[in-house]
Amino acid sequence: MVESIPARFRDSLLGRRIVNLVKGFERGEDLGPLEDRLAEKDFEKLEQSANLVSWVRGLPPVIGLLGTLNGLRGGIAEIANLSGGQDINQLRSGLQNFAGHSSTAFDTTLLGITAALLLSAGLFFLREREDKHLAKVNSIAEGLARRFERPGRDVEAIERFSRSIVEAFATKVQTTMDSLLDRIDATMASRSGVFEASVA
């Protein structure tokens, strides 16, 4: 049965779920518990992927903070190079360099925060889409599992009990009919004897 599923479809999430359900059906497993285990396994994989992506989402603010610290370090070094004995042009040049380093520091912070916000928004929509897709796969797989699920022990016990009741009822009806036919035969025989005696 598995070979009848197209190969390109088998690589999808739904395809893998159906392949596992078909294999379980061929092994004679109960498909309800098997479907629950497969759904839980897929959800765990989704959570692991989300944790990895959440770690990546935390990188831009850290890189932005490193850029900020590096820019501030350069700006503070420029201020340290200024001294009271320098002329106004050197002082002006040192302040311009300090402003440039400070601008770099604030730009990297802004870029890090912006990248983190964009990643967070993108990951939120991606996770929502994946959750909906997983819910749809679960719904389809549960429907297939219910459709092809083998009867449980309770159902088999009920079927055996109902068969025994039908057989007992049929036996009782047959016994009653046999008894009734015997009485009819006996009644007919006694009446035919009376009729023959009256004719003679």
Side-chain angles (χ1 to χ4, degrees):
M1 289 176 69
V2 174
E3 289 74 15
S4 63
I5 301 173
R8 60 184 180 84
F9 178 70
R10 275 184 244 165
D11 294 332
S12 67
L13 180 62
L14 180 59
R16 288 193 301 270
R17 183 78 65 87
I18 290 175
V19 165
N20 286 324
L21 286 174
V22 168
K23 288 180 179 178
F25 180 78
E26 290 175 346
R27 289 190 302 266
E29 290 186 45
D30 289 336
L31 296 186
L34 176 62
E35 162 56 22
D36 292 339
R37 289 196 303 272
L38 293 173
E40 186 177 353
K41 191 174 180 181
D42 286 339
F43 181 75
E44 288 174 358
K45 287 181 181 177
L46 180 61
E47 284 295 315
Q48 289 173 357
S49 300
N51 291 336
L52 177 63
V53 173
S54 296
W55 180 80
V56 172
R57 180 180 56 190
L59 287 179
V62 173
I63 295 172
L65 178 61
L66 291 175
T68 300
L69 294 175
N70 186 46
L72 290 177
R73 183 183 62 82
I76 290 171
E78 286 294 334
I79 290 177
N81 290 334
L82 296 177
S83 61
Q86 293 176 337
D87 64 3
I88 192 70
N89 289 331
Q90 289 177 338
L91 187 61
R92 183 178 296 149
S93 175
L95 288 174
Q96 286 175 348
N97 289 336
F98 173 75
H101 286 291
S102 299
S103 175
T104 301
F106 295 128
D107 287 346
T108 55
T109 301
L110 182 62
L111 286 173
I113 292 172
T114 303
L117 288 174
L118 291 175
L119 273 174
S120 296
L123 293 176
F124 172 78
F125 290 115
L126 179 63
R127 178 59 191 267
E128 188 176 7
R129 181 181 166 197
E130 287 180 346
D131 284 339
K132 287 181 180 178
H133 181 65
L134 184 58
K136 189 174 181 181
V137 168
N138 289 340
S139 175
I140 294 171
E142 285 173 8
L144 287 173
R146 281 195 303 270
R147 186 172 180 183
F148 293 105
E149 191 171 20
R150 300 179 189 278
R153 294 179 181 175
D154 294 338
V155 175
E156 291 176 354
I158 290 170
E159 288 177 353
R160 284 196 304 270
F161 179 70
S162 62
R163 280 195 298 269
S164 65
I165 289 176
V166 169
E167 290 170 1
F169 180 75
T171 303
K172 185 66 176 175
V173 168
Q174 186 64 40
T175 304
T176 305
M177 290 298 292
D178 290 342
S179 174
L180 182 61
L181 288 173
D182 289 340
R183 287 181 185 174
I184 291 173
D185 288 340
T187 304
M188 293 297 288
S190 66
R191 287 191 178 173
S192 66
V194 171
F195 179 76
E196 290 174 358
S198 63
V199 169

